[in-house]
Amino acid sequence: MAKNVKDMLIEANSAAPKLSPAEAAEKMRSDDVLIVDVRDPTEVQQTGKIKGAVNVSRGMLEFRADPESQYHNPVFQKDKTILLHCASGGRSALAGKTLQDMGYTAVFNIGGFKDLAEAGIETEPA
C-alpha cells in the first residue's frame, strides 16, 4: 500500500525519538554530538543556526552521511550522537529515520529552530 506524508511522519517519529529543547541542550554538552540542521541554506541564511550545527539540506543528507558517496562529509560518523532539527520538526523526523536506515544508531529529532532558539539554545549567524 502506498504511503502518504502523514504515514511517513508517523513512522519517522516512532523511529527517531523526539527530544525537548532542554533534553537537546543536555545532549549538546557532550563531545561526541553532531548537530545537523536539515533546512535549506536560504532558511539558515535568514535566521542563523544553532551554534556549532552543520547545515545539510534534507535533499543532500543521504549523500553527506554515506561514507561511500563522493559527497560524504566526514563529520558524519556512526559512533556520534546525531541531533537533527529543521524549521518545525517534520524534515528532521524524516531525516532521523533515514539516518537510522543507513546504520546510524544514536539519532534524535530535536524539533524546530525557532523553538530551540526561544528555549535559550545558543545560535550563531549562518
Side-chain angles (χ1 to χ4, degrees), residues 35-42 44 49 53-57 64:
I35 305 163
V36 182
D37 184 335
V38 296
R39 296 177 297 158
D40 292 335
T42 54
V44 177
K49 62 188 186 94
V54 173
N55 177 230
V56 176
S57 64
R64 300 285 189 238

Side-chain angles (χ1 to χ4, degrees), residues 12-19 100 107-110:
N13 281 315
S14 68
K18 176 98 186 265
L19 301 180
Q100 285 183 335
V107 179
F108 300 90
N109 177 2
I110 61 171

Side-chain angles (χ1 to χ4, degrees), residues 5-41:
V5 170
K6 181 180 176 184
D7 295 333
M8 294 171 77
L9 284 170
I10 289 169
E11 185 178 344
N13 281 315
S14 68
K18 176 98 186 265
L19 301 180
S20 70
E23 292 168 321
E26 181 66 32
K27 288 221 180 268
M28 287 177 191
R29 292 187 184 107
S30 175
D31 290 336
D32 69 338
V33 169
L34 174 63
I35 305 163
V36 182
D37 184 335
V38 296
R39 296 177 297 158
D40 292 335

Side-chain angles (χ1 to χ4, degrees), residues 7-113:
D7 295 333
M8 294 171 77
L9 284 170
I10 289 169
E11 185 178 344
N13 281 315
S14 68
K18 176 98 186 265
L19 301 180
S20 70
E23 292 168 321
E26 181 66 32
K27 288 221 180 268
M28 287 177 191
R29 292 187 184 107
S30 175
D31 290 336
D32 69 338
V33 169
L34 174 63
I35 305 163
V36 182
D37 184 335
V38 296
R39 296 177 297 158
D40 292 335
T42 54
E43 292 174 276
V44 177
Q45 288 294 328
Q46 291 171 359
T47 62
K49 62 188 186 94
I50 299 300
K51 186 173 182 180
V54 173
N55 177 230
V56 176
S57 64
R58 175 67 193 94
M60 287 300 294
L61 182 67
E62 292 88 338
F63 298 98
R64 300 285 189 238
D66 183 353
E68 302 300 315
S69 168
Q70 66 178 338
Y71 302 107
H72 178 249
N73 183 333
V75 299
F76 282 89
Q77 300 294 321
K78 292 186 179 176
D79 61 345
K80 287 189 175 183
T81 297
I82 312 286
L83 304 179
L84 298 152
H85 78 86
C86 60
S88 64
R91 287 175 286 178
S92 52
L94 296 171
K97 168 98 172 55
T98 296
L99 288 178
Q100 285 183 335
D101 290 347
M102 295 178 74
Y104 289 82
T105 56
V107 179
F108 300 90
N109 177 2
I110 61 171
F113 175 80

